[in-house]
Amino acid sequence: DVKVTQSSRYLVKRTGEKVFLECVQDMDHENMFWYRQDPGLGLRLIYFSYDVKMKEKGDIPEGYSVSREKKERFSLILESASTNQTSMYLCASSRTGGYYGYTFGSGTRLTVV
Amino acid sequence: DQQVKQNSPSLSVQEGRISILNCDYTNSMFDYFLWYKKYPAEGPTFLISISSIKDKNEDGRFTVFLNKSAKHLSLHIVPSQPGDSAVYFCAASPTHTGANSKLTFGKGITLSVRP
């Protein structure tokens, strides 16, 4: 069964901490994405990557960075966590070309206190 | 500027009745549309899709209708079941074959099916 795996389902971190959210996919997909979901705001794209070592900003990249050193792994980094980064974080992957949807991970509920 | 709009934030229907979830888009380059379903504390899962060469696609209880001239699509669930209670996201993709295969999502609509 193909899947996107996010390393943690729930995380609690303190303000100012550096936070790493990890995502691994086993489908050999070229594209990977990080979203956050907040009530009334839907899914907002933070960063995405089309290939290893490539990254592009999404709609709300401020306060975040990403790393893609291997095709199957895409990491989201909160450089200095703040309470307004408390959210549900969703990783997704997709194939390049043609009409393909995304496969999402189960999400990480991050609480910054 | 929101390119994919789900104007109703919530919908409540009785079990056994039809649920109709609407979605509008503004970008005429969009030609592939998807619906995702999301339960709390889980990631979205793919539900059904439609390309612009069709005006209807059916999968069991779920049917998606596309009206290109109105830039409108709708998801019909018949009959609705309590397990259908979830957030439903509409998404769209433009014509391309390159690497920029990025979906644009609506804000979602919360469907509640009353027993």
Side-chain angles (χ1 to χ4, degrees), chain A:
Chain A
D1 192 19
V2 294
K3 60 173 69 172
V4 176
T5 303
Q6 293 183 232
S7 53
S8 304
R9 292 298 300 271
Y10 300 94
L11 274 180
V12 180
K13 296 292 182 180
R14 294 191 182 279
T15 302
E17 275 192 80
K18 191 168 186 176
V19 181
F20 293 85
L21 302 183
E22 305 289 343
C23 176
V24 177
Q25 52 98 359
D26 64 2
M27 296 166 283
D28 201 34
H29 284 173
E30 294 84 4
N31 309 316
M32 296 188 76
F33 308 83
W34 275 106
Y35 286 86
R36 60 179 284 178
Q37 183 202 5
D38 301 287
L41 298 177
L43 299 174
R44 293 184 292 167
L45 181 63
I46 304 171
Y47 267 97
F48 57 104
S49 169
Y50 295 132
D51 202 350
V52 176
K53 297 193 185 294
M54 292 184 67
K55 59 185 179 184
E56 290 198 31
K57 294 179 180 179
D59 301 317
I60 51 164
E62 296 79 17
Y64 303 94
S65 63
V66 290
S67 172
R68 193 166 181 202
E69 296 297 317
K70 292 185 178 181
K71 189 176 184 180
E72 67 270 19
R73 186 178 297 268
F74 192 35
S75 303
L76 179 69
I77 304 153
L78 285 66
E79 298 291 343
S80 177
S82 63
T83 55
N84 63 14
Q85 291 179 310
T86 292
S87 185
M88 167 70 92
Y89 289 87
L90 294 160
C91 176
S93 71
S94 74
R95 208 180 302 175
T96 288
Y99 297 121
Y100 298 107
Y102 294 177
T103 301
F104 282 89
S106 298
T108 296
R109 166 61 68 181
L110 173 67
T111 303
V112 182
V113 298

